[in-house]
Amino acid sequence: MAPASGEKTEATHDVRELARALEVDAARDEEVPAPRVSAHPHERPPLPVGAFDANALPIAALEPLDGAFTGAPLLIHASPETIRTSGVLGTTMGRIVPGKSEGGFTFAGQARLFLRTVNRVGETFTRDDQGLVTQTTPPTGTQRCSIVLRNTSGRPIHLRLAGVVFSRYLTPQFPANARGEPFNPDEQDALAEDLTGLIEWTSGKVPDPEGLFFRGPHAVIAAGFLDARVDPRPQDERESEPLLREDLDLSQLDDVRLGTRGRIEAALTVQPGETVLVLSARHEKGGTLQSLLDFTAVDAKGQLDVGARFRLATVSSPLPLTPDELTAISRGDHPVASAGADGPETAAPAFPPHQGVLEAGSVFVGGRTVRLSAGKRAGDLVMSMPGRHGGVWPDAAPLTPTAREPEPRAPRTHEGARGVSYVLTYTLENTDAAPREVELLLTSPRRHPSEHFFPQAGVLQLAMKVDGERVDIRVNQRGDGRVLACFELPPEGRREVRLEWTHAGGTFPPAGLEWRMRAG
């Protein structure tokens, strides 16, 4: 695999860099950027929580939110998203050339892996003289999707694994024990995993107005990052009466804890120079498998071991990986998965074909002070932010505010960084001498008034926490927004609001946050 843009051949993280990053994080927790004067008139009537509004601020009125990426480097494996030949989906293990340094990327102590793949292995097509494409061979069957790790340290490393692995229609959202008793301590409802409720339209599919649901595998995985619960029982009880996941081979892991929404927490020890199979997931024919996992190496005190070095690969195969295949993967010699040269032609991809490592981190921390008076509103661009906020940006060209005439091309669908967690802190200020109410909306801002775009998966689907309260939101059209929450501000007073979410894909930014102070 060729290195992604901005990727280095070796990690440059060390103890001093980590210490500086932690100092920045600690300072950021106590700092809120100065107010930005960007208020616009607001004359709309008050809206309740969950209400829809088709009058969101356009991109030209928004500025990217200030902040920075922190935490573990993010590894993205989602290209090709649909595979028709099995093999390596993505890897940081470069080909080893005798006498030369190894290519690829080595993680120092921590990493986050984002994986999304659709199993269409074996599917083939023919094209007639008129250009009509017809399927000639259907997908062959189940694959195994494996995560492989190689220890490049000169000593054993002790890794903790935490995150979500989820297959549509296959992974139980509430795993059961041998007696069939589901583990669902919060008595949650399962999220729908399909995308029904769609109607045909001339340019694709449009969500049915009566079926605006928060759903799909990405919705489950994003919700799992917010509210998943793991089995709290001691290890001996979990081993004597375990929760079951038939879609996963967890035999290589130690002290495994399963949880809701596909959650996994476990540990493993990898010897120096060893290449190991971390876990293997069953990948059904035609199914979507998605994973978001954090790897953290720890020392004897349970602290981050920045001296631990490792590399990661993901592989699709019809059979379990053999020792010889693991060796080939570690040397960069294993075949690469492909979407197939004879696949049907499609429009522009839903996401850019980026593969690689975002060294800057996988958590975006930002915020600012919003100063408003009655009848005013302000907003920020919170996904699709210019790369200056992240150091190295894993996305396509940044989306920037503009008031120019529309460009002669289709609306962009691929802004936003999959696998990134967002932690935003706002301070709301009321400049009036009377108490006021402020509405917070999640919006899908238009680039220009004529832009209309209705992707099949929904324009925006996010599982969010607003001041600790869980909100599942879906916005289906450009230019629209939905109310997340309403806040009361005292006269000439202020209030702090914290927002959290993890972007697990299946959604189409740009995304905006809009604050509206009611006039009454």
Side-chain angles (χ1 to χ4, degrees):
M1 182 187 75
S5 176
E7 182 179 325
K8 299 179 181 179
T9 57
E10 288 291 337
T12 58
H13 306 288
D14 60 19
V15 176
R16 290 167 298 187
E17 290 177 330
L18 179 65
R20 285 196 294 269
L22 293 175
E23 289 174 1
V24 170
D25 287 348
R28 185 180 295 111
D29 288 339
E30 300 178 359
E31 294 179 0
V32 176
R36 187 170 70 225
V37 180
S38 58
H40 301 267
H42 170 49
E43 300 176 352
R44 306 281 290 181
L47 295 172
V49 173
F52 157 86
D53 186 37
N55 187 33
L57 287 170
I59 289 172
L62 303 179
E63 292 288 340
L65 184 67
D66 285 323
F69 283 96
T70 65
L74 172 64
L75 173 62
I76 299 175
H77 285 170
S79 179
E81 185 171 303
T82 299
I83 57 170
R84 295 185 174 86
T85 62
S86 57
V88 172
L89 300 169
T91 182
T92 67
M93 303 178 195
R95 186 178 295 275
I96 297 177
V97 179
K100 295 186 178 181
S101 61
E102 180 181 357
F105 186 92
T106 299
F107 295 99
Q110 57 181 341
R112 174 178 286 189
L113 167 66
F114 175 88
L115 168 68
R116 181 180 172 90
T117 182
V118 182
N119 174 18
R120 308 288 301 184
V121 170
E123 184 180 44
T124 60
F125 302 87
T126 58
R127 188 186 307 274
D128 62 21
D129 295 338
Q130 286 72 42
L132 180 65
V133 176
T134 304
Q135 183 192 66
T136 54
T137 305
T140 52
T142 299
Q143 293 281 305
R144 287 167 173 80
C145 186
S146 302
I147 298 174
V148 177
L149 183 145
R150 180 158 63 90
N151 178 7
T152 62
S153 308
R155 55 179 173 79
I157 58 175
H158 306 281
L159 288 158
R160 291 177 181 169
L161 176 68
V164 178
V165 179
F166 189 84
S167 297
R168 189 158 113 184
Y169 307 136
L170 187 62
T171 303
Q173 293 190 39
F174 309 108
N177 57 26
R179 296 193 304 271
E181 299 168 339
F183 173 68
N184 187 8
D186 297 330
E187 297 184 350
Q188 297 172 318
D189 294 328
L191 295 174
E193 300 169 30
D194 61 0
L195 291 166
T196 56
L198 302 177
I199 56 176
E200 295 293 335
W201 195 49
T202 54
S203 64
K205 293 185 176 181
V206 185
D208 187 328
E210 300 301 322
L212 306 180
F213 303 110
F214 180 78
R215 62 199 318 163
H218 53 278
V220 177
I221 206 171
F225 249 65
L226 284 180
D227 62 18
R229 293 277 299 276
V230 294
D231 189 346
R233 295 176 298 165
Q235 184 175 1
D236 57 345
E237 293 183 25
R238 286 185 280 112
E239 291 178 349
S240 63
E241 191 173 300
L243 298 178
L244 304 176
R245 278 196 60 173
E246 296 179 354
D247 60 320
L248 291 183
D249 176 3
L250 304 172
S251 59
Q252 307 299 318
L253 297 171
D254 301 321
D255 192 23
V256 178
R257 292 179 184 266
L258 298 180
T260 61
R261 315 283 198 208
R263 181 78 180 184
I264 300 171
E265 294 183 3
L268 72 156
T269 298
V270 187
Q271 299 302 318
E274 188 177 18
T275 300
V276 300
L277 174 67
V278 177
L279 61 82
S280 178
R282 181 180 171 191
H283 195 182
E284 291 291 275
K285 177 176 65 175
T288 299
L289 185 143
Q290 198 160 335
S291 179
L292 190 54
L293 292 169
D294 287 313
F295 294 80
T296 307
V298 296
D299 58 21
K301 296 181 179 180
Q303 303 299 312
L304 176 64
D305 180 5
V306 294
R309 304 286 169 144
F310 60 90
R311 297 188 175 212
L312 287 167
T314 56
V315 185
S316 180
S317 61
L319 299 172
L321 294 173
T322 66
D324 287 345
E325 287 174 320
L326 288 175
T327 299
I329 292 164
S330 71
R331 298 179 61 86
D333 294 331
H334 195 276
V336 176
S338 168
D342 57 350
E345 290 185 357
T346 61
F351 292 97
H354 59 258
Q355 292 278 94
V357 179
L358 172 62
E359 290 186 63
S362 53
V363 180
F364 182 85
V365 180
R368 71 177 179 105
T369 296
V370 180
R371 184 174 292 165
L372 291 172
S373 60
K376 297 293 184 180
R377 61 176 173 167
D380 296 305
L381 191 65
V382 294
M383 290 172 66
S384 276
M385 290 167 290
R388 65 185 176 86
H389 295 297
V392 181
W393 189 244
D395 202 353
L399 184 71
T400 55
T402 177
R404 294 180 300 173
E405 291 298 315
E407 299 178 14
R409 61 181 175 85
R412 294 171 64 177
T413 67
H414 52 246
E415 289 88 13
R418 292 170 291 173
V420 171
S421 295
Y422 293 80
V423 180
L424 310 181
T425 302
Y426 281 88
T427 298
L428 306 181
E429 287 191 357
N430 176 15
T431 63
D432 294 342
R436 299 295 183 193
E437 291 183 331
V438 176
E439 300 164 359
L440 167 61
L441 288 82
L442 176 71
T443 70
S444 179
R446 285 193 179 104
R447 296 179 66 243
H448 49 79
S450 64
E451 180 182 1
H452 294 284
F453 180 62
F454 307 87
Q456 179 175 340
V459 174
L460 277 177
Q461 298 189 102
L462 292 177
M464 307 178 72
K465 278 189 177 178
V466 181
D467 274 355
E469 288 290 324
R470 166 72 179 278
V471 180
D472 292 337
I473 200 75
R474 178 167 175 162
V475 182
N476 287 287
Q477 299 184 37
R478 292 279 195 246
D480 294 353
R482 288 189 182 270
V483 180
L484 298 178
C486 296
F487 305 96
E488 293 185 0
L489 298 181
E492 297 180 345
R494 59 170 53 194
R495 174 170 180 162
E496 191 173 274
V497 178
R498 182 182 175 92
L499 306 173
E500 302 170 66
W501 73 88
T502 296
H503 185 200
T507 188
F508 293 80
L513 288 175
E514 189 170 318
W515 306 89
R516 299 178 177 181
M517 183 170 281
R518 294 171 174 174

